[in-house]
Amino acid sequence: MTVTGPALTVGQPPWTAWPRNLWRALLILWLLFWLLMIFVAVQDNWDDDSILWWQPLLWEGSSAVVGTAMTALMLRYGSRLQHLLATPWHWFWQHLKWLPLASLVFIVCAFGLRHAVYAAAGLSYHHPPWPTVYVYETLKLALFLGLWLGVVFGVHSFLAWREQQTRLHAMQQALTEAKLQQLKAQLQPHFLFNTLNTISSFMHSDVERADRLLIRLADLLRASLTLGEQNTILLRDELQLAKLYAEIMTERFGPRVALEWDISDDCLALSVPALLLQPLLENAFKHAVEQSREPIALHVSANRDGEMLQLQVSNSLPSTQGGSSGQSHNQHHHQNKNGTGIGLRNCRERLQALYGERASLQIEHTANAHRVHIRLPVSP
């Protein structure tokens, strides 16, 4: 597909649909222009005793009346040339090609009006020969049309650009929504399958525990279906989902995990991306608790720093590792340190889609702990 010019031709508003404030500004500019022309004409002939006071008013007033009518026709004609805005010279030529005829019409109407008023006053209106008048008025009209065509073209182009920006913003919004829905569609089955695998491990060894886990999972799915349809939810609702998931996992690992929640009350009513904390918790359970025989401490915190909300999910690391288990654990944490896991990558992409550069996800890995630190603006 070949693109020949900027996209300025779809759905552009005609001059009749211009905003009221724009019309008001143009009318004021138009009146000021003709008041200036009348003032200059009166000033130039002020000391000429052969010219009556009303004559300069008539000369410029007749030009103003005819010029206003011709400008209205120009706007009406120009509304059919919207498709040419992408090629300015073509647009201007389609207007200026009528200059010889427009000049003739202007002379007939304006000078006819002057002759009529002079005759009504019992006077004769004297002017240069008609060929000279035609050349002189054509030059004046060319400058006049050039000036106002430039204004009209600028208005049309600005409105077209603004509408294009509005459409572009709407398209970006739609693409962002589609991307967020795609990311959430990837995320929800991911944690569901992992949870079902957790439950299946107890189906034959501990039926009662498996039953409790199924009940927890039903609660989790019910809450996620209610809240997960939104791109952003309140932090208190996000914590509800995260705690339901954490209950399932702590039921599985028992004393091997200690989970602490440190949430500031002033953060509970703030908006966060839906299902943001759950994949971070899943990451900690999978790569820390599941890979260790020692108790692991998990800590989830939320606090406000000015106009930024800070979320952190951290887990302690076992003091000793042995054999292949330790090697596997270190490999998993090396992977998550770089944020290449599905859950971490998903969170980072959703933050980027919703907040752009204003949000960040940072991963810290030390000898004793692994932390995921998220900062996002209080207001989107």
Side-chain angles (χ1 to χ4, degrees):
M1 182 176 66
T2 303
V3 179
T4 58
L8 295 173
T9 62
V10 180
Q12 298 175 42
W15 62 274
T16 53
W18 288 358
R20 183 176 301 177
N21 289 340
L22 178 59
W23 269 116
R24 187 180 297 114
L26 289 177
L27 287 176
I28 292 174
L29 183 62
W30 181 263
L31 290 175
L32 290 176
F33 172 81
W34 284 110
L35 287 175
L36 177 62
M37 297 294 291
I38 293 173
F39 174 79
V40 171
V42 172
Q43 183 70 22
D44 288 343
N45 297 279
W46 186 260
D47 296 328
D48 192 340
D49 295 334
S50 64
I51 297 178
L52 300 176
W53 64 270
W54 54 268
Q55 292 175 335
L57 297 178
L58 174 63
W59 302 338
E60 296 302 329
S62 60
S63 297
V65 171
V66 177
T68 300
M70 294 182 64
T71 301
L73 292 175
M74 178 187 71
L75 289 174
R76 188 176 183 86
Y77 172 72
S79 63
R80 298 184 297 175
L81 303 177
Q82 300 291 92
H83 60 286
L84 299 178
L85 287 176
T87 52
W89 290 112
H90 196 187
W91 186 87
F92 276 96
W93 165 247
Q94 289 299 317
H95 287 84
L96 293 175
K97 71 179 183 179
W98 298 102
L99 180 61
L101 178 60
S103 179
L104 181 61
V105 172
F106 176 83
I107 292 172
V108 170
C109 294
F111 281 72
L113 182 60
R114 297 173 193 176
H115 277 284
V117 173
Y118 268 73
L123 301 174
S124 298
Y125 178 52
H126 301 286
H127 53 76
W130 289 113
T132 303
V133 169
Y134 181 80
V135 172
Y136 176 74
E137 294 297 334
T138 300
L139 292 176
K140 282 182 58 178
L141 193 59
L143 293 175
F144 173 84
L145 284 178
L147 171 65
W148 288 103
L149 283 175
V151 173
V152 172
F153 180 82
V155 170
H156 276 302
S157 299
F158 171 75
L159 293 177
W161 171 83
R162 190 174 66 176
E163 185 171 343
Q164 183 186 41
Q165 291 299 107
T166 301
R167 293 198 306 270
L168 180 61
H169 180 70
M171 291 175 60
Q172 290 175 337
Q173 287 271 59
L175 288 174
T176 299
E177 292 288 330
K179 182 177 181 180
L180 289 171
Q181 293 301 324
Q182 181 187 23
L183 291 172
K184 283 166 43 178
Q186 295 172 354
L187 184 63
Q188 291 171 347
H190 183 254
F191 85 78
L192 176 59
F193 294 150
N194 286 340
T195 306
L196 288 174
N197 287 334
T198 299
I199 295 174
S200 67
S201 65
F202 293 104
M203 291 299 294
H204 299 288
S205 61
D206 193 337
V207 177
E208 185 178 348
R209 178 179 290 185
D211 185 62
R212 289 199 304 270
L213 289 175
L214 281 173
I215 294 175
R216 296 285 202 289
L217 177 59
D219 294 337
L220 175 60
L221 290 178
R222 189 179 300 109
S224 64
L225 287 175
T226 302
L227 301 173
E229 294 180 356
Q230 308 171 54
N231 287 328
T232 61
I233 59 177
L234 298 183
L235 179 59
R236 64 164 58 94
D237 296 326
E238 175 66 15
L239 289 171
Q240 177 187 353
L241 295 174
K243 288 180 178 180
L244 284 171
Y245 175 79
E247 288 177 7
I248 295 174
M249 301 308 290
T250 52
E251 182 72 27
R252 172 186 175 185
F253 294 106
R256 290 169 56 186
V257 59
L259 182 56
E260 180 183 1
W261 302 86
D262 182 16
I263 310 298
S264 298
D265 292 339
D266 60 347
C267 298
L268 294 176
L270 301 180
S271 296
V272 298
L275 298 175
L276 178 66
L277 292 176
Q278 183 275 327
L280 303 184
L281 283 171
E282 181 180 356
N283 187 73
F285 276 105
K286 181 177 181 180
H287 299 306
V289 180
E290 187 175 347
Q291 301 296 325
S292 173
R293 298 178 181 177
E294 300 180 16
I296 298 295
L298 299 183
H299 184 265
V300 181
S301 66
N303 61 80
R304 183 168 179 171
D305 180 17
E307 293 303 312
M308 301 295 291
L309 172 62
Q310 298 186 118
L311 301 172
Q312 182 172 281
V313 177
S314 62
N315 60 266
S316 63
L317 299 179
S319 57
T320 59
Q321 300 290 342
S324 60
S325 175
Q327 182 180 2
S328 174
H329 176 81
N330 289 334
Q331 288 174 349
H332 280 302
H333 271 285
H334 177 72
Q335 179 187 27
N336 290 309
K337 177 181 179 181
N338 297 322
T340 56
I342 295 176
L344 292 176
R345 184 174 66 247
N346 193 295
C347 289
R348 181 175 282 117
E349 290 180 3
R350 293 172 66 212
L351 288 171
Q352 176 68 28
L354 282 170
Y355 306 104
E357 298 300 324
R358 295 179 296 164
S360 64
L361 186 152
Q362 297 179 343
I363 302 172
E364 300 176 8
H365 184 56
T366 65
N368 299 319
H370 178 81
R371 300 184 184 87
V372 179
H373 187 76
I374 293 177
R375 284 176 59 86
L376 63 154
V378 170
S379 299

